[in-house]
mmCIF file of all heavy atoms in Angstrom:
data_model
loop_
_atom_site.group_PDB
_atom_site.id
_atom_site.type_symbol
_atom_site.label_atom_id
_atom_site.label_comp_id
_atom_site.label_asym_id
_atom_site.label_seq_id
_atom_site.Cartn_x
_atom_site.Cartn_y
_atom_site.Cartn_z
ATOM 1 N N LEU A 69 5.235 79.027 -58.547
ATOM 2 C CA LEU A 69 4.365 79.385 -59.633
ATOM 3 C C LEU A 69 4.085 80.877 -59.727
ATOM 4 O O LEU A 69 3.867 81.502 -60.680
ATOM 5 C CB LEU A 69 3.090 78.680 -59.420
ATOM 6 C CG LEU A 69 3.045 77.179 -59.697
ATOM 7 C CD1 LEU A 69 1.789 76.477 -59.342
ATOM 8 C CD2 LEU A 69 3.393 76.808 -61.194
ATOM 9 N N SER A 70 3.936 81.473 -58.576
ATOM 10 C CA SER A 70 3.723 82.944 -58.596
ATOM 11 C C SER A 70 5.048 83.729 -59.151
ATOM 12 O O SER A 70 4.716 84.722 -59.878
ATOM 13 C CB SER A 70 3.463 83.415 -57.107
ATOM 14 O OG SER A 70 3.353 84.764 -56.942
ATOM 15 N N GLY A 71 6.202 83.230 -58.742
ATOM 16 C CA GLY A 71 7.374 83.789 -59.351
ATOM 17 C C GLY A 71 7.461 83.685 -60.878
ATOM 18 O O GLY A 71 7.816 84.490 -61.618
ATOM 19 N N VAL A 72 7.126 82.484 -61.217
ATOM 20 C CA VAL A 72 7.086 82.218 -62.802
ATOM 21 C C VAL A 72 6.113 83.138 -63.386
ATOM 22 O O VAL A 72 6.344 83.521 -64.538
ATOM 23 C CB VAL A 72 6.794 80.719 -62.958
ATOM 24 C CG1 VAL A 72 6.478 80.415 -64.471
ATOM 25 C CG2 VAL A 72 8.056 79.810 -62.494
ATOM 26 N N LYS A 73 4.939 83.306 -62.817
ATOM 27 C CA LYS A 73 3.843 84.100 -63.484
ATOM 28 C C LYS A 73 4.282 85.529 -63.579
ATOM 29 O O LYS A 73 4.184 86.171 -64.566
ATOM 30 C CB LYS A 73 2.581 84.020 -62.716
ATOM 31 C CG LYS A 73 1.498 84.816 -63.167
ATOM 32 C CD LYS A 73 0.218 84.707 -62.358
ATOM 33 C CE LYS A 73 -0.939 85.611 -62.824
ATOM 34 N NZ LYS A 73 -2.124 85.589 -62.010
ATOM 35 N N ILE A 74 4.991 86.039 -62.528
ATOM 36 C CA ILE A 74 5.461 87.474 -62.491
ATOM 37 C C ILE A 74 6.519 87.549 -63.557
ATOM 38 O O ILE A 74 6.660 88.558 -64.377
ATOM 39 C CB ILE A 74 6.038 87.852 -61.044
ATOM 40 C CG1 ILE A 74 4.828 87.931 -60.060
ATOM 41 C CG2 ILE A 74 6.773 89.113 -61.108
ATOM 42 C CD1 ILE A 74 5.138 88.108 -58.678
ATOM 43 N N THR A 75 7.446 86.574 -63.528
ATOM 44 C CA THR A 75 8.575 86.592 -64.491
ATOM 45 C C THR A 75 8.123 86.476 -65.907
ATOM 46 O O THR A 75 8.538 87.212 -66.773
ATOM 47 C CB THR A 75 9.535 85.583 -64.192
ATOM 48 O OG1 THR A 75 10.037 85.595 -62.923
ATOM 49 C CG2 THR A 75 10.791 85.526 -65.229
ATOM 50 N N THR A 76 7.047 85.732 -66.161
ATOM 51 C CA THR A 76 6.492 85.571 -67.355
ATOM 52 C C THR A 76 5.795 86.798 -67.966
ATOM 53 O O THR A 76 5.927 87.372 -69.182
ATOM 54 C CB THR A 76 5.389 84.557 -67.480
ATOM 55 O OG1 THR A 76 6.044 83.223 -67.162
ATOM 56 C CG2 THR A 76 4.817 84.326 -68.842
ATOM 57 N N GLU A 77 5.021 87.566 -66.992
ATOM 58 C CA GLU A 77 4.551 88.835 -67.313
ATOM 59 C C GLU A 77 5.528 89.962 -67.616
ATOM 60 O O GLU A 77 5.369 90.596 -68.634
ATOM 61 C CB GLU A 77 3.574 89.348 -66.206
ATOM 62 C CG GLU A 77 2.282 88.657 -65.870
ATOM 63 C CD GLU A 77 1.588 88.967 -64.628
ATOM 64 O OE1 GLU A 77 1.969 89.919 -63.939
ATOM 65 O OE2 GLU A 77 0.509 88.410 -64.499
ATOM 66 N N LYS A 78 6.606 89.967 -66.853
ATOM 67 C CA LYS A 78 7.718 90.892 -67.154
ATOM 68 C C LYS A 78 8.269 90.620 -68.598
ATOM 69 O O LYS A 78 8.619 91.391 -69.283
ATOM 70 C CB LYS A 78 8.767 90.857 -66.059
ATOM 71 C CG LYS A 78 8.349 91.511 -64.760
ATOM 72 C CD LYS A 78 9.430 91.271 -63.690
ATOM 73 C CE LYS A 78 8.947 92.018 -62.367
ATOM 74 N NZ LYS A 78 10.097 91.858 -61.384
ATOM 75 N N PHE A 79 8.487 89.243 -68.821
ATOM 76 C CA PHE A 79 9.094 88.928 -70.097
ATOM 77 C C PHE A 79 8.227 89.243 -71.222
ATOM 78 O O PHE A 79 8.712 89.864 -72.185
ATOM 79 C CB PHE A 79 9.307 87.274 -70.158
ATOM 80 C CG PHE A 79 9.624 86.773 -71.503
ATOM 81 C CD1 PHE A 79 10.965 86.923 -71.922
ATOM 82 C CD2 PHE A 79 8.733 86.153 -72.332
ATOM 83 C CE1 PHE A 79 11.193 86.450 -73.249
ATOM 84 C CE2 PHE A 79 8.875 85.797 -73.435
ATOM 85 C CZ PHE A 79 10.293 85.745 -74.091
ATOM 86 N N LEU A 80 6.910 89.088 -71.171
ATOM 87 C CA LEU A 80 5.996 89.584 -72.212
ATOM 88 C C LEU A 80 6.009 91.037 -72.323
ATOM 89 O O LEU A 80 6.012 91.444 -73.521
ATOM 90 C CB LEU A 80 4.567 88.940 -72.035
ATOM 91 C CG LEU A 80 4.400 87.512 -71.934
ATOM 92 C CD1 LEU A 80 3.073 86.981 -71.616
ATOM 93 C CD2 LEU A 80 4.742 87.018 -73.394
ATOM 94 N N ASN A 81 6.067 91.682 -71.220
ATOM 95 C CA ASN A 81 6.041 93.229 -71.418
ATOM 96 C C ASN A 81 7.365 93.753 -72.206
ATOM 97 O O ASN A 81 7.271 94.601 -72.973
ATOM 98 C CB ASN A 81 5.938 93.829 -69.931
ATOM 99 C CG ASN A 81 4.700 93.872 -69.389
ATOM 100 O OD1 ASN A 81 3.648 93.677 -70.193
ATOM 101 N ND2 ASN A 81 4.560 93.781 -68.057
ATOM 102 N N ILE A 82 8.494 93.096 -71.669
ATOM 103 C CA ILE A 82 9.726 93.501 -72.196
ATOM 104 C C ILE A 82 9.782 93.014 -73.757
ATOM 105 O O ILE A 82 10.365 93.757 -74.649
ATOM 106 C CB ILE A 82 10.965 92.816 -71.433
ATOM 107 C CG1 ILE A 82 11.035 93.607 -70.163
ATOM 108 C CG2 ILE A 82 12.276 93.009 -72.270
ATOM 109 C CD1 ILE A 82 11.944 92.957 -69.205
ATOM 110 N N GLU A 83 9.140 91.954 -74.005
ATOM 111 C CA GLU A 83 9.214 91.458 -75.380
ATOM 112 C C GLU A 83 8.357 92.428 -76.221
ATOM 113 O O GLU A 83 8.763 92.770 -77.345
ATOM 114 C CB GLU A 83 8.488 89.995 -75.413
ATOM 115 C CG GLU A 83 8.551 89.448 -76.810
ATOM 116 C CD GLU A 83 9.851 88.798 -77.256
ATOM 117 O OE1 GLU A 83 10.693 88.681 -76.441
ATOM 118 O OE2 GLU A 83 9.944 88.563 -78.484
ATOM 119 N N GLY A 84 7.218 92.890 -75.667
ATOM 120 C CA GLY A 84 6.421 93.875 -76.492
ATOM 121 C C GLY A 84 7.199 95.269 -76.667
ATOM 122 O O GLY A 84 7.187 95.793 -77.649
ATOM 123 N N GLU A 85 7.913 95.632 -75.597
ATOM 124 C CA GLU A 85 8.675 96.864 -75.677
ATOM 125 C C GLU A 85 9.873 96.647 -76.720
ATOM 126 O O GLU A 85 10.048 97.566 -77.495
ATOM 127 C CB GLU A 85 9.254 97.212 -74.343
ATOM 128 C CG GLU A 85 8.315 97.707 -73.336
ATOM 129 C CD GLU A 85 8.812 97.874 -72.016
ATOM 130 O OE1 GLU A 85 10.248 97.758 -71.805
ATOM 131 O OE2 GLU A 85 8.047 98.122 -71.044
ATOM 132 N N ASN A 86 10.409 95.490 -76.775
ATOM 133 C CA ASN A 86 11.533 95.240 -77.676
ATOM 134 C C ASN A 86 10.886 95.249 -79.147
ATOM 135 O O ASN A 86 11.618 95.722 -80.010
ATOM 136 C CB ASN A 86 12.129 93.883 -77.492
ATOM 137 C CG ASN A 86 13.185 93.941 -76.416
ATOM 138 O OD1 ASN A 86 13.597 94.995 -75.962
ATOM 139 N ND2 ASN A 86 13.590 92.864 -75.831
ATOM 140 N N SER A 87 9.711 94.821 -79.273
ATOM 141 C CA SER A 87 9.135 94.733 -80.562
ATOM 142 C C SER A 87 8.956 96.222 -81.104
ATOM 143 O O SER A 87 9.137 96.535 -82.294
ATOM 144 C CB SER A 87 7.799 94.028 -80.682
ATOM 145 O OG SER A 87 7.951 92.696 -80.433
ATOM 146 N N ILE A 88 8.459 97.057 -80.221
ATOM 147 C CA ILE A 88 8.118 98.499 -80.439
ATOM 148 C C ILE A 88 9.528 99.209 -80.818
ATOM 149 O O ILE A 88 9.617 99.836 -81.805
ATOM 150 C CB ILE A 88 7.433 99.178 -79.319
ATOM 151 C CG1 ILE A 88 6.107 98.636 -79.216
ATOM 152 C CG2 ILE A 88 7.542 100.647 -79.538
ATOM 153 C CD1 ILE A 88 5.430 99.073 -78.028
ATOM 154 N N LEU A 89 10.596 98.868 -80.006
ATOM 155 C CA LEU A 89 11.797 99.501 -80.282
ATOM 156 C C LEU A 89 12.468 99.038 -81.560
ATOM 157 O O LEU A 89 13.072 99.806 -82.241
ATOM 158 C CB LEU A 89 12.757 99.141 -79.087
ATOM 159 C CG LEU A 89 12.510 99.818 -77.835
ATOM 160 C CD1 LEU A 89 13.345 99.251 -76.622
ATOM 161 C CD2 LEU A 89 12.557 101.241 -77.815
ATOM 162 N N ARG A 90 12.233 97.673 -81.939
ATOM 163 C CA ARG A 90 12.789 97.275 -83.251
ATOM 164 C C ARG A 90 12.086 97.996 -84.388
ATOM 165 O O ARG A 90 12.769 98.418 -85.341
ATOM 166 C CB ARG A 90 12.507 95.878 -83.292
ATOM 167 C CG ARG A 90 13.535 94.889 -82.580
ATOM 168 C CD ARG A 90 13.269 93.333 -82.917
ATOM 169 N NE ARG A 90 13.973 92.648 -81.900
ATOM 170 C CZ ARG A 90 13.412 92.094 -81.040
ATOM 171 N NH1 ARG A 90 12.006 92.080 -80.931
ATOM 172 N NH2 ARG A 90 13.855 91.368 -80.065
#
Side-chain angles (χ1 to χ4, degrees):
L69 289 174
S70 177
V72 166
K73 182 180 177 184
I74 290 169
T75 303
T76 301
E77 288 173 2
K78 287 180 181 179
F79 169 77
L80 292 174
N81 287 337
I82 290 172
E83 185 77 15
E85 289 173 10
N86 280 347
S87 295
I88 291 169
L89 291 174
R90 281 188 199 101

